[in-house]
Amino acid sequence: MRRRDVDLELLVIDDSMAQRWLEALQRELPWLASCAGVKPSPSLLKAVGTKAYISSGNLLELSSEGSFGSRTSIVIDGENWSWR
């Protein structure tokens, strides 16, 4: 099955998974790690270039490119995300 691009505004991601994604981004984007009190939100995820894809098995993949061209991603199972 081909993966489908998804608009971040259409997703509701479990708080623990959203926090896990923010932590992964902070490892790749040092400037983000230095910002105190940053909370995961659709607008922040868009600002750092997060892309969302749905693949087979109702899996959601979030990916982003880091400061020096590195790529980070996580896969979230269907129990931890839903549609708005």
Side-chain angles (χ1 to χ4, degrees), residues 18-78:
Q19 184 62 38
R20 188 171 144 210
W21 180 235
L22 177 60
E23 290 166 2
L25 287 173
Q26 289 173 326
R27 284 190 297 274
E28 292 296 322
L29 303 169
W31 63 267
L32 182 58
S34 68
C35 298
V38 173
K39 302 241 186 278
S41 68
S43 58
L44 171 67
L45 299 182
K46 281 185 174 185
V48 298
T50 298
K51 304 290 185 194
Y53 310 97
I54 297 175
S55 60
S56 62
N58 206 25
L59 297 174
L60 175 69
E61 179 183 349
L62 299 179
S63 69
S64 185
E65 190 171 315
S67 299
F68 301 103
S70 62
R71 195 154 229 19
T72 188
S73 65
I74 63 169
V75 176
I76 301 172
D77 64 35

Side-chain angles (χ1 to χ4, degrees), residues 1-29:
M1 178 178 186
R2 202 176 123 219
R3 66 184 195 173
R4 299 178 301 176
D5 295 355
V6 178
D7 185 337
L8 291 170
E9 295 291 333
L10 301 176
L11 300 174
V12 176
I13 300 170
D14 178 78
D15 289 341
S16 65
M17 294 305 291
Q19 184 62 38
R20 188 171 144 210
W21 180 235
L22 177 60
E23 290 166 2
L25 287 173
Q26 289 173 326
R27 284 190 297 274
E28 292 296 322
L29 303 169

